[in-house]
């Protein structure tokens, strides 16, 4: 819900007015294609309440709630898609979203996402590749399901490319280098800073978790060892869990590290702005190494990025995984001047000392443009 930009993403034109609600600036409707995961659903419920408070119409669709749910959802949304001149999507990798894009011909298409996946999405679009989430292994070729869906995915990718009569925009805080014809609007978290905080800053440190073990990228035991070392090095007391982290893993983490595990009810950027938050926030490669410096600007909170040791990677991890993760932390150093800490949890290094040689960068990882 940006307070800056050219106008409301859901329709209308002219300049945006931060003091007005989105309803006052133009019609904006949000459709939530609800996932199955209960924690993600709970966060989306809370975000939907915030959106309604801003004057946004929110429609909740249990799009995955049973065998008939997808057909029911698609049928219900077809009239909306047919008459919408501007469509905003939050996850271009979603098969559900791609399917809906094949059923629409918007004059304006906007991708709104502050996840690290946005970096890979823009890079794949620029290279003309099929859209595949970065952590997918890519080993063994396509599955039967992917092969069956391939024509729809290809059509959706063409929808996401600009052409005569269709404008494509990416609204994100991630550093991206879009292909020709795609506009980028930077999300500077002005709405978040205006709506929440400033937070109370404590003397301690907080750790931010990741679902890299759950997605099969890193070994779970190596990850827990790293968390314990980081907690000791930074004297951290709290661990903000990713919504996809498993309960058994978090139980082991709490026992092994003594950290208080916190399950945020809102995205971490909003939790941090509400406070209290530690004076140092240590995070593995993830979205927050880019978003927290923006959300916490002016608070004095230091964000530190953790470099992932290649030895942590599993045998089934994507060949692109380490290059992508290195690019996430490297681009955060470039864009926000973050310090980073190596896998052995030594004293944080400066951005200059931590930056790897240019030749060592993964070629597909986009560099910062802020």
């Amino acid at each position: 819900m940006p307070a800056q930009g050219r106008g409301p993403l859901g329709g209308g034109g002219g300049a945006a007015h931060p003091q007005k609600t989105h309803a006052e600036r133009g019609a904006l409707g949000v459709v939530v294609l609800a996932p199955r995961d209960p924690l993600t659903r709970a966060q989306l419920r809370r975000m939907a309440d915030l959106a309604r408070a801003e004057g946004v119409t929110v429609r909740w669709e249990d799009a995955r709630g049973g065998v008939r749910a997808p057909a029911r959802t698609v049928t219900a949304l077809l009239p909306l898609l047919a008459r919408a001149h501007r469509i905003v999507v939050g996850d271009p990798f979603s098969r559900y979203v791609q399917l809906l894009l094949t059923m629409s011909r918007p004059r304006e298409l906007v991708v709104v996402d502050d996840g690290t996946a946005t970096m890979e999405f823009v890079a794949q679009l620029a290279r003309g590749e099929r859209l595949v989430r970065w952590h997918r292994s890519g080993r063994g070729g396509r599955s039967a399901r992917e092969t069956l869906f391939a024509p729809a995915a290809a059509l959706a990718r063409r929808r996401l490319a600009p052409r005569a009569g269709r404008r494509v925009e990416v609204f994100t805080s991630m550093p991206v280098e879009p292909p020709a014809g795609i506009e980028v609007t930077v999300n500077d978290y002005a709405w978040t800073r205006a709506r929440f905080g400033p937070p109370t800053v404590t003397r301690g440190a907080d750790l931010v978790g990741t679902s890299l073990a759950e997605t099969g990228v890193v070994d779970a035991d190596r990850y827990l060892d790293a968390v314990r070392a980081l907690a000791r090095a930074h004297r951290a007391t709290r661990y903000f869990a990713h919504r996809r982290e498993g309960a058994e893993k978090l139980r082991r983490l709490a026992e092994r590290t003594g950290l208080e595990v916190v399950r945020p009810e809102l995205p971490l950027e909003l939790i941090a702005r509400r406070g209290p938050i530690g004076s140092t926030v240590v995070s593995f490669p993830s979205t927050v190494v880019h978003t927290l410096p923006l959300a916490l600007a002016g608070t004095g909170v230091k964000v530190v990025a953790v470099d992932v040791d290649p030895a942590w990677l599993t045998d089934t991890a994507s060949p692109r995984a380490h290059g992508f993760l290195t690019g996430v932390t490297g681009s955060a150093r470039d864009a926000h001047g973050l310090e980073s800490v190596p896998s052995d949890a030594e004293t944080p290094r400066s951005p200059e000392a931590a930056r790897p040689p240019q030749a060592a960068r993964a070629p597909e990882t986009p560099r910062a443009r802020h």
Side-chain angles (χ1 to χ4, degrees), residues 41-347:
R41 287 172 67 91
Q43 277 198 7
L44 285 170
R45 291 284 191 191
R46 291 297 308 277
M47 292 303 296
D49 290 340
L50 289 175
R52 291 187 182 100
E54 291 289 307
V56 177
T57 300
V58 180
R59 175 173 176 166
W60 186 275
E61 287 283 344
D62 274 313
R64 298 168 176 86
V67 177
R68 298 180 180 179
R72 184 174 59 247
T73 297
V74 169
T75 301
L77 295 181
L78 275 177
L80 294 174
L81 293 170
R83 65 174 181 261
H85 84 274
R86 177 184 294 168
I87 293 179
V88 182
V89 300
D91 181 6
F93 289 103
S94 165
R95 287 195 183 99
Y96 223 133
V97 169
Q98 291 176 6
L99 177 63
L100 293 174
L101 284 177
T102 66
M103 303 175 183
S104 64
R105 293 182 178 273
R107 285 174 288 166
E108 297 183 28
L109 186 60
V110 186
V111 176
V112 175
D113 186 29
D114 287 325
T116 52
T118 305
M119 300 165 67
E120 187 73 350
F121 159 68
V122 172
Q124 289 177 6
L125 204 62
R127 296 191 297 265
E129 299 174 353
R130 66 189 182 101
L131 301 180
V132 181
R133 298 186 191 276
W134 69 268
H135 56 78
R136 297 287 294 274
S137 69
R139 304 177 192 274
R142 298 184 186 182
S143 66
R145 185 178 180 183
E146 289 173 329
T147 301
L148 183 63
F149 190 75
L155 179 56
R157 187 174 67 248
R158 290 195 293 272
R159 291 277 193 272
L160 290 162
R163 55 177 297 180
R166 182 170 63 245
R167 171 179 162 270
V168 179
E169 177 185 357
V170 175
F171 181 86
T172 186
S173 63
M174 296 291 109
V176 295
E177 293 182 358
I182 292 185
E183 302 177 36
V184 174
T185 300
V186 177
N187 179 14
D188 64 7
Y189 277 75
W191 178 87
T192 300
R193 293 194 303 272
R195 181 69 166 74
F196 298 97
T200 299
V201 179
T202 68
R203 294 183 178 180
D206 293 321
L207 298 185
V208 178
T210 178
S211 59
L212 289 174
E214 281 72 14
T215 53
V217 176
V218 303
D219 178 79
D221 288 328
R222 292 288 188 103
Y223 179 80
L224 294 181
D225 289 342
V227 171
R228 180 171 57 183
L230 289 165
R232 290 177 177 175
H234 294 274
R235 298 181 180 180
T237 58
R238 294 188 300 177
Y239 177 92
F240 287 103
H242 190 280
R243 64 183 182 278
R244 295 194 186 97
E245 289 189 83
E248 176 59 22
K249 169 192 164 185
L250 293 176
R251 183 191 64 77
R252 292 174 57 202
L253 185 147
E255 291 178 351
R256 190 178 296 191
T257 66
L259 290 167
E260 175 192 357
V261 175
V262 179
R263 287 274 200 183
E265 60 181 11
L266 287 168
L268 189 58
E269 294 81 6
L270 306 190
I271 293 291
R273 282 297 301 185
R274 294 199 311 178
I277 190 70
S279 58
T280 299
V281 177
V282 182
S283 175
F284 291 92
S286 72
T287 299
V288 300
V289 298
H290 284 276
T291 59
L292 282 184
L294 298 172
L296 295 173
T299 64
V301 174
K302 179 174 67 174
V303 180
V304 176
V306 180
D307 292 322
V308 169
D309 191 318
W312 298 0
L313 301 182
T314 65
D315 293 338
T316 58
S318 166
R320 300 179 299 169
H322 190 256
F324 180 82
L325 295 172
T326 300
V328 171
T329 54
S331 57
R333 287 192 295 263
D334 291 345
H336 307 292
L338 299 193
E339 294 177 337
S340 65
V341 64
S343 56
D344 55 8
E346 295 173 353
T347 302

